[in-house]
Amino acid sequence: EVQLVESGGGLVQPGGSLRLSCAASGFTFSTYAMSWVRQAPGKGREWVGGINSDGGSRYYADSVKGRFTISRDNTKNTLYLQLNSLKTEDTAMYVCAKHLTTAVPATSRYEHDYWGQGTQVTVSS
């Protein structure tokens, strides 16, 4: 059974940082590209960033480029998202998602087959 379990969310002030983790099990983690997506209250799902199976290529949404860093440790079956210089508009539920391919699809960042339950990030003073 595929499981994706996120952790690391919380309440942080604007300008602060957080590190999110996603522990994966039930599949060969090192074979698949992974992404983070987020959903804020009253808004649609937004793709945040993705990373290829070997970690060699990373991609980001323009809204987070230069502030967020996606990484993975295939020896620990874990995906990470470092969030720096947080803004109030970054407040959302952050969810990790598994792609069906080794590379993040260029034409469909939302092509996933499994998702975690999410971890809440709230940016507020």
Side-chain angles (χ1 to χ4, degrees):
E1 178 189 4
V2 172
Q3 286 194 320
L4 299 170
V5 180
E6 300 91 339
S7 61
L11 173 63
V12 63
Q13 292 186 339
S17 297
L18 282 173
R19 189 194 196 201
L20 309 183
S21 298
C22 170
S25 61
F27 66 102
T28 305
F29 181 72
S30 60
T31 301
Y32 296 95
M34 299 291 294
S35 278
W36 287 95
V37 297
R38 67 184 181 184
Q39 187 157 18
K43 295 188 178 180
R45 185 177 293 185
E46 178 188 15
W47 176 81
V48 173
I51 185 168
N52 288 355
S53 61
D54 63 358
S57 296
R58 313 176 194 197
Y59 310 89
Y60 300 96
D62 289 342
S63 58
V64 306
K65 200 171 293 184
R67 300 188 298 121
F68 291 8
T69 303
I70 189 170
S71 62
R72 65 191 296 160
D73 185 338
N74 285 345
T75 66
K76 296 182 178 179
N77 291 347
T78 303
L79 177 73
Y80 302 100
L81 185 67
Q82 179 68 42
L83 295 73
N84 295 333
S85 303
L86 281 161
K87 305 176 181 179
T88 55
E89 52 262 44
D90 294 319
T91 295
M93 181 71 74
Y94 284 72
V95 179
C96 67
K98 172 187 170 294
H99 287 281
L100 293 88
T101 53
T102 57
V104 178
T107 55
S108 178
R109 309 294 199 187
Y110 294 91
E111 202 168 276
H112 312 124
D113 55 355
Y114 291 95
W115 302 262
Q117 293 297 311
T119 186
Q120 177 68 37
V121 172
T122 301
V123 184
S124 174
S125 55

